[in-house]
Amino acid sequence: MSAEAQAGLGIKLGRMRRSFRGWRGQRPFWGGLLTLLGGIPIMYFPYANLTLGTMTIRMATTAGAGSLIIGVLLVVLGLTMWFQPHSRVFAGVAAILLALVSLVVSNFGGFVMGFLLALIGGALGVSWAPARAAGEPAKGRAGGDADGSDDSAAEPAAAGAVNGAGGATDDLSGTSPTNGTNGRHRAG
């Protein structure tokens, strides 16, 4: 290869790497990977044969079909976290539940390896949140801080509103649209 060909390959490889990094940052990549990897030992061990010299040990159990189903579902949930990141909470909770069920059904969750990988992957999938754009404010009140707290006291009533004696802003429940809360309560 010539020097120019190697330089072009380096640029192309760098571009592909940056593209993959961008794709990976927009989804719970590590949660999906660990969930996917957790499903493999869970579905593999019940059907594996271990040979020691001339003796063959088979790990097959009556719950082999259950192990296969749990393993395949964990692989599918890991792929779901990658390709459907908006359903990451469902996929993460389902992965955690399947990991717990695998302890009983499939040889202690693939000899605890698959259980731990799926449990941690599901937790990462549930806890992942998409990054906010640079100018986008945090969720919560528009006037609040980034952590959702609001340091100001109660907001003043709208212009022309009457307080007390049957007025529009005498609702103390905090759910009236006239006081700007629209059903949101504030503790503290």
Side-chain angles (χ1 to χ4, degrees):
M1 289 179 86
S2 67
E4 293 89 21
Q6 288 179 352
L9 182 64
I11 292 170
K12 186 176 179 181
L13 188 62
R15 191 177 314 125
M16 287 173 40
R17 187 169 177 245
R18 281 190 302 275
S19 175
F20 176 70
R21 185 179 290 174
W23 178 83
R24 188 183 70 194
Q26 296 172 356
R27 60 202 76 244
F29 177 78
W30 294 109
L33 182 67
L34 290 177
T35 302
L36 189 141
L37 291 176
I40 292 171
I42 289 174
M43 71 177 148
Y44 173 74
F45 286 134
Y47 295 102
N49 292 329
L50 178 65
T51 305
L52 299 171
T54 59
M55 183 173 64
T56 300
I57 300 172
R58 181 143 193 186
M59 300 301 297
T61 63
T62 57
S67 300
L68 183 64
I69 290 170
I70 289 172
V72 167
L73 284 175
L74 284 171
V75 169
V76 168
L77 289 171
L79 292 172
T80 300
M81 287 184 210
W82 282 354
F83 297 110
Q84 299 290 326
H86 59 274
S87 61
R88 68 190 182 278
V89 174
F90 166 76
V93 169
I96 290 170
L97 291 175
L98 284 171
L100 290 172
V101 169
S102 76
L103 280 173
V104 178
V105 173
S106 65
N107 297 328
F108 295 110
F111 297 117
V112 184
M113 290 186 306
F115 163 72
L116 288 176
L117 287 171
L119 192 70
I120 293 169
L124 286 173
V126 169
S127 66
W128 182 84
R132 290 189 299 257
E136 185 180 329
K139 282 189 173 181
R141 293 183 142 186
D145 294 338
D147 63 351
S149 65
D150 191 6
D151 294 334
S152 64
E155 299 196 11
V162 178
N163 286 331
T169 60
D170 62 351
D171 181 16
L172 299 177
S173 70
T175 59
S176 173
T178 59
N179 65 7
T181 58
N182 292 329
R184 292 174 288 169
H185 297 280
R186 187 172 163 204

